[in-house]
Amino acid sequence: KNQVEQSPQSLIILEGKNCTLQCNYTVSPFSNLRWYKQDTGRGPVSLTIMTFSENTKSNGRYTATLDADTKQSSLHITASQLSDSASYICVVSMNTGFQKLVFGTGTRLLVSP
Amino acid sequence: EAQVTQNPRYLITVTGKKLTVTCSQNMNHEYMSWYRQDPGLGLRQIYYSMNVEVTDKGDVPEGYKVSRKEKRNFPLILESPSPNQTSLYFCASSFDRTHQPQHFGDGTRLSIL
């Protein structure tokens, strides 16, 4: 079954600290993996997209990694800020006609002052 | 500014009263889609459209209709809403299938009583 599992479900960290969010998937055939940030009351915003051949991609303080062999991805947030408080969603795209998407249920991050 | 605009943002209505949620994008994107987001279930695709007059079912299409008469607009229609359609709905667009969904709207919160 094609699934995307994210951990932890929720996380609280102190402002300025680093954190890492995990995404494990069983999706096949794989096309790409994307991380989104969703602020409360807003739509998701794309942070990174990685294809099979990419194992690291950065967007400011956000760095995503991908291990296609173990089917794992992580999102590392450096020097967290209060504005990083949000849900982070991992999405895997299947290499099919319309690139069917499989969504994780997200990790809710709270950055505390 | 690149935007996906949904209306209304909030709606409370009653069972059986037809409603339409509009979605418009200003990026000349070919691909558009609708999602619902429920606690613990993540985002699930309702319908998608690859171009004008080309639409297809996603994972949870029951009880919904869509149309794509113009490239920029992709309305979601609930002909006879029921309480189990109470949810947070997002419209999204992208310039090609590989990068979909690229831009999300800010969501429409529907409550069906």
Side-chain angles (χ1 to χ4, degrees), chain A residues 5-74:
Chain A
E5 293 186 356
Q6 294 186 242
S7 62
Q9 276 192 322
S10 61
L11 181 63
I12 303 174
I13 62 172
L14 290 174
E15 186 179 10
K17 297 296 186 182
N18 304 335
C19 69
T20 300
L21 314 181
Q22 298 289 344
C23 172
N24 297 337
Y25 62 93
T26 58
V27 178
S28 181
F30 175 88
S31 178
N32 60 64
L33 184 146
R34 187 187 305 235
W35 283 93
Y36 288 88
K37 178 188 180 189
Q38 184 176 18
D39 292 315
T40 301
R42 305 297 301 273
V45 174
S46 181
L47 293 174
T48 63
I49 178 171
M50 290 184 291
T51 59
F52 187 88
S53 59
E54 297 173 299
N55 54 24
T56 301
K57 185 162 280 191
S58 292
N59 178 358
R61 294 180 296 101
Y62 301 101
T63 299
T65 64
L66 173 65
D67 185 333
D69 291 332
T70 61
K71 297 187 175 182
Q72 295 180 323
S73 176
S74 64

Side-chain angles (χ1 to χ4, degrees), chain A residues 85-105:
Chain A
S85 296
S87 289
Y88 292 84
I89 302 170
C90 175
V91 185
V92 178
S93 176
M94 297 178 68
N95 192 11
T96 57
F98 183 63
Q99 303 271 317
K100 179 178 171 57
L101 302 173
V102 185
F103 288 83
T105 54

Side-chain angles (χ1 to χ4, degrees), chain B residues 11-19 79-83 111-113:
Chain B
L11 179 64
I12 301 174
T13 187
V14 295
T15 299
K17 186 177 181 182
K18 180 180 178 180
L19 67 91
E79 294 270 5
S80 183
S82 62
S111 293
I112 316 293
L113 305 178

